[in-house]
Amino acid sequence: MTKNILKSGLVFTTLVLVGCSSFNVPMPVLESQTERVVMPAKPTLSERTYVLEYQIEHQSPRLKSVQLPAHPVNRGQTVVIDSQQVALTDRLRNRLIAIFNEKELIVINDPKQADYMLSINQLDISETDDAEYTLSNGHILSKEDLQEQLAKQKCSNISGSVSMKLTHQSSKDVVWFAKSSLDTASFQRNPLRFQLTLTDSIENQEQVQQFVEKHNSPDALAERGDKPAPVAPSYQIVTKSSELEKIAGACTTTEVSALVPDLHYYLSGIILEKISIN
């Protein structure tokens, strides 16, 4: 009987010791209780379109006009227009006739019957240095580096010149001559306008997604346990700019060349206005 009591006591003691030792074993942290990595909120992205204006300092036409007093030009006298040395368009010819009519001179076609002959000696063009335009409204761009990058625009430039003389028919004396020139950059009064589009995008979106998925995987959660979750990297926004798209003004060689007829038309008008009529 004594042996049975001793055995029972030994078993009880063993159970007590086992029970006491079980309190020292840490309880496992459930996956659902592990702090997860939070996906950062996506920033607001935008697309902005700007109209950039470029201007240049305009020069006045260079003009020289000399009228000699030997044969005064009087109202009611006749003039014939000689354009054998140039390709005179109907539009320009009509412009010259209109100016003579305003001065009360009569344009005729017969050189033998005319008091004076207007000879158009030059309707010339020549290439010149490119015109450099300066950005005039750069303040609308928030980035200074972009303002510096787009601060200048170079465009093709052509110099046009016109020269004429008025000859007294009976004496063959030249009674007036004039020449004028101007480049297309100064002739073109409207500013150059370009359109620019800036578009925002997230540069590291895939990397952020991979980071969150990696640290929220079952294996990562089990390994992390009750440790704080790492912080996901922030989204990085990059802004990409489009190519400049010209929406107004002439800049290319083809566009600038198309201005030449109007430039000659303009110069011819200001030259002919210089003839003094009695």
Side-chain angles (χ1 to χ4, degrees):
M1 182 177 179
T2 302
K3 289 181 179 180
N4 291 333
I5 293 172
L6 290 174
K7 286 181 180 179
S8 300
L10 182 60
V11 170
F12 176 77
T13 303
T14 302
L15 290 172
V16 172
L17 291 174
V18 170
C20 291
S21 64
S22 67
F23 287 108
N24 295 327
V25 176
M27 296 294 292
V29 178
L30 298 178
E31 180 181 316
S32 61
Q33 297 174 334
T34 303
E35 183 182 356
R36 292 174 174 270
V37 177
V38 178
M39 179 73 73
K42 286 188 177 180
T44 301
L45 305 178
S46 66
E47 182 176 279
R48 290 90 63 201
T49 299
Y50 303 93
V51 175
L52 305 180
E53 288 194 356
Y54 291 83
Q55 296 185 350
I56 194 171
E57 184 178 353
H58 294 107
Q59 304 295 324
S60 299
R62 294 172 290 277
L63 175 62
K64 179 180 181 181
S65 175
V66 177
Q67 186 159 347
L68 304 174
H71 303 279
V73 183
N74 300 310
R75 289 175 175 80
Q77 289 185 306
T78 55
V79 180
V80 65
I81 298 176
D82 174 26
S83 57
Q84 295 182 11
Q85 299 183 52
V86 298
L88 184 64
T89 64
D90 290 340
R91 176 171 174 257
L92 182 50
R93 181 181 179 85
N94 291 337
R95 168 67 168 159
L96 301 179
I97 293 173
I99 294 175
F100 278 132
N101 288 339
E102 291 172 2
K103 292 179 175 292
E104 299 182 31
L105 294 175
I106 303 169
V107 178
I108 62 175
N109 295 324
D110 187 354
K112 296 180 179 179
Q113 300 298 321
D115 296 310
Y116 292 95
M117 175 179 286
L118 176 73
S119 299
I120 305 172
N121 301 323
Q122 290 180 325
L123 290 175
D124 290 346
I125 60 171
S126 60
E127 292 186 3
T128 187
D129 294 338
D130 286 346
E132 187 173 77
Y133 291 78
T134 302
L135 180 62
S136 61
N137 64 337
H139 62 278
I140 66 175
L141 299 173
S142 57
K143 292 187 175 182
E144 291 187 3
D145 58 338
L146 196 57
Q147 294 182 34
E148 294 178 2
Q149 178 185 341
L150 302 174
K152 303 289 184 181
Q153 286 292 326
K154 284 190 175 182
C155 292
S156 179
N157 196 18
I158 295 175
S159 178
S161 61
V162 176
S163 67
M164 301 179 184
K165 67 179 179 180
L166 192 67
T167 303
H168 184 249
Q169 282 292 78
S170 60
S171 66
K172 303 303 179 185
D173 293 337
V174 175
V175 299
W176 169 86
F177 60 90
K179 182 175 182 178
S180 185
S181 62
L182 184 67
D183 61 24
T184 51
S186 293
F187 174 67
Q188 181 181 212
R189 291 291 172 173
N190 294 328
L192 285 173
R193 291 189 176 92
F194 290 85
Q195 183 170 289
L196 175 74
T197 300
L198 300 181
T199 305
D200 293 336
S201 63
I202 299 175
E203 185 179 41
N204 62 336
Q205 181 170 333
E206 185 177 347
Q207 290 85 342
V208 172
Q209 180 72 29
Q210 291 175 350
F211 182 94
V212 174
E213 291 176 354
K214 174 183 176 183
H215 289 278
N216 284 344
S217 68
D219 290 344
L221 293 174
E223 182 179 348
R224 187 160 67 246
D226 59 354
K227 295 178 182 178
V231 179
S234 301
Y235 287 115
Q236 297 175 3
I237 300 177
V238 294
T239 301
K240 296 181 179 179
S241 60
S242 66
E243 296 291 331
L244 286 180
E245 178 187 357
K246 188 176 62 59
I247 57 176
C251 188
T252 67
T253 301
T254 300
E255 293 167 341
V256 169
S257 297
L259 297 175
V260 170
D262 286 341
L263 175 58
H264 283 158
Y265 184 91
Y266 168 71
L267 293 176
S268 298
I270 65 173
I271 284 180
L272 205 57
E273 292 285 359
K274 292 297 180 180
I275 297 179
S276 297
I277 306 296
N278 292 329

